[in-house]
Amino acid sequence: MMNEFLLGKAFDEIYSFIKTFDRRIKKKFLTNKKDFENSINVHLKDVSNWSSEISFRDLQKSKKTRDLFINLNFYVTPKSTQLIEDETVVPLNKLMENIETNLIILGKPGAGKTTSMKFISNKLLTDESYLKNKCSFPIVIRLRELKINRSDFESKKVDVIESLYYKIYSILGLRIEINSSDENHLIDDTNYRSKINIIKNVVAQALDELSVLLILDGWDEIATLHKDILIQEIRFFSLNLNKSKIIITSRTNEFNYDLDNSQTYEICELNDAQIKHFIQKWILQDESSKSLYNQIIRSPFKDTLAKPLTLAHLCAIFERYGRIP
């Protein structure tokens, strides 16, 4: 799935970096090029499966993301931070075409945050010209899926969230063995925190060599007690990644941090033209799509149409029954 030349060049640079980084610690890089390539391709297959389709309970059959996606608009200044009303917007395609910094994408529940990330990921995997010379491929981490482990801390058992450093280290298939007079072991999920300085610097180097788009989806879906740990790791990446970019998605008002080299945008509500376009893409027959639109604007649901998820549910119900409640 990936360009072998790009992976080979990145692998050589990572190998060289590990050899020269912190010579005080004796270490051996056990990953070979084939393992490196296979690990990345396994992740990309997962991303491809996740990003290619949209499904939810009311839907009889999953739909292709590319067939349904609407090019959403984004407020350049999030509504929650506007001191003076500013309606300046930028569509998603323009936002991505000109991406130069990390992005924080805010939106209300059902506004289209995850679907937007699916579209971007799928586009990056299937269209070689998309974000050309900016990002080579996506690494997607659904934050709610990070492992939570019980660990000892000051004689107490506490919940500790999996490190983003180690999560990406695993996705890339990296394996480093420590060889010294007082320790000889492979860095794994039981001991990586004691070697976190090695892990984070190797991962940052690897991400930049690969020029990835790192998507961290669902900031609002992780517990408050874990956010302070993860934001420190994200800040490290924001300061140390030059060729790679990060996108973080979160519900409005739940990402309350300053992040270097980043810009924050908020998803706009759908306008009338977008609502009609959404229905037309979903209900392919012209007369049926017009019928659904007319039913919706005469229904109690009219004021909820600004959210793509609500509109999708109504389209799915209409598709099944030929009418809406």
Side-chain angles (χ1 to χ4, degrees):
M1 294 181 71
M2 271 301 302
N3 183 295
E4 290 186 13
F5 175 76
L6 171 66
L7 291 181
K9 184 174 180 296
F11 179 88
D12 291 340
E13 293 295 334
I14 296 166
Y15 178 80
S16 176
F17 179 80
I18 290 172
K19 284 181 63 177
T20 57
F21 176 74
D22 199 346
R23 294 181 184 273
R24 296 168 298 173
I25 300 176
K26 293 183 179 180
K27 49 198 175 300
K28 184 186 294 184
F29 188 35
L30 301 182
T31 307
N32 59 46
K33 286 186 180 181
K34 193 64 178 176
D35 292 338
F36 183 62
E37 179 181 341
N38 286 342
S39 292
I40 292 174
N41 282 331
V42 165
H43 180 71
L44 294 186
K45 286 179 183 177
D46 175 74
V47 174
S48 177
N49 291 334
W50 169 77
S51 66
S52 63
E53 294 183 338
I54 297 170
S55 61
F56 50 84
R57 185 177 298 175
D58 285 333
L59 198 56
Q60 288 181 307
K61 183 180 178 181
S62 59
K63 302 272 190 178
K64 295 293 183 184
T65 305
R66 64 175 177 267
D67 293 339
L68 295 181
F69 183 74
I70 296 293
N71 188 30
L72 300 175
N73 292 325
F74 291 74
Y75 289 113
V76 173
T77 304
K79 283 286 189 180
S80 58
T81 62
Q82 289 183 13
L83 299 178
I84 300 175
E85 186 173 354
D86 183 0
E87 296 295 323
T88 307
V89 301
V90 57
L92 179 62
N93 60 341
K94 295 297 181 184
L95 183 61
M96 295 307 300
E97 284 172 10
N98 300 306
I99 184 170
E100 297 294 340
T101 67
N102 304 313
L103 301 178
I104 300 161
I105 302 299
L106 306 178
K108 296 176 182 178
K113 301 180 292 295
T114 296
T115 302
S116 294
M117 296 307 103
K118 284 188 174 189
F119 176 79
I120 291 167
S121 299
N122 186 255
K123 186 81 170 171
L124 199 48
L125 288 174
T126 58
D127 185 348
E128 292 183 1
S129 64
Y130 187 63
L131 303 186
K132 191 173 182 181
N133 301 322
K134 291 182 181 290
C135 299
S136 56
F137 65 91
I139 288 180
V140 178
I141 297 177
R142 297 178 284 278
L143 294 175
R144 69 177 180 275
E145 296 178 2
L146 290 175
K147 297 175 184 176
I148 307 296
N149 297 313
R150 295 288 283 173
S151 299
D152 290 314
F153 181 74
E154 295 181 350
S155 301
K156 294 181 181 180
K157 289 286 187 180
V158 295
D159 288 336
V160 179
I161 195 165
E162 182 179 11
S163 168
L164 289 174
Y165 304 143
Y166 187 73
K167 180 69 173 179
I168 299 168
Y169 178 87
S170 301
I171 288 171
L172 298 178
L174 303 179
R175 298 171 68 241
I176 299 174
E177 185 177 77
I178 303 300
N179 295 299
S180 64
S181 57
D182 57 344
E183 56 180 338
N184 192 321
H185 61 84
L186 182 70
I187 296 177
D188 60 23
D189 60 355
T190 67
N191 58 38
Y192 71 84
R193 294 185 190 279
S194 67
K195 295 292 179 286
I196 202 70
N197 194 52
I198 294 174
I199 296 292
K200 72 178 186 180
N201 283 283
V202 168
V203 165
Q205 180 72 17
L207 291 178
D208 248 10
E209 293 298 336
L210 292 166
S211 298
V212 307
L213 181 64
L214 176 60
I215 295 175
L216 305 176
D217 186 45
W219 177 262
D220 53 281
E221 297 183 64
I222 56 177
T224 301
L225 62 92
H226 298 139
K227 289 180 177 179
D228 287 344
I229 295 172
L230 291 185
I231 197 62
Q232 294 305 318
E233 298 186 348
I234 295 171
R235 281 183 172 136
F236 174 81
F237 284 139
S238 71
L239 289 172
N240 288 276
L241 296 181
N242 297 309
K243 299 177 186 175
S244 290
K245 297 291 181 287
I246 306 169
I247 301 181
I248 304 167
T249 71
S250 176
R251 284 187 182 182
T252 301
N253 297 325
E254 295 210 27
F255 190 91
N256 302 309
Y257 304 89
D258 292 322
L259 199 62
D260 292 308
N261 304 320
S262 303
Q263 289 182 282
T264 303
Y265 297 86
E266 184 174 0
I267 299 176
C268 302
E269 296 181 334
L270 295 176
N271 57 40
D272 192 62
Q274 289 173 320
I275 291 170
K276 288 180 179 178
H277 187 43
F278 188 102
I279 294 172
Q280 288 167 355
K281 288 172 77 74
W282 194 294
I283 310 296
L284 299 178
Q285 295 82 7
D286 190 49
E287 288 303 315
S288 294
S289 65
K290 288 180 181 177
S291 173
L292 174 56
Y293 176 77
N294 289 331
Q295 287 183 45
I296 288 174
I297 61 173
R298 293 195 300 266
S299 77
F301 306 117
K302 180 180 178 182
D303 293 336
T304 69
L305 297 186
K307 295 180 181 179
L309 184 59
T310 303
L311 190 55
H313 277 282
L314 291 172
C315 287
I317 291 169
F318 181 86
E319 193 173 42
R320 178 178 294 185
Y321 300 107
R323 59 187 178 85
I324 59 172

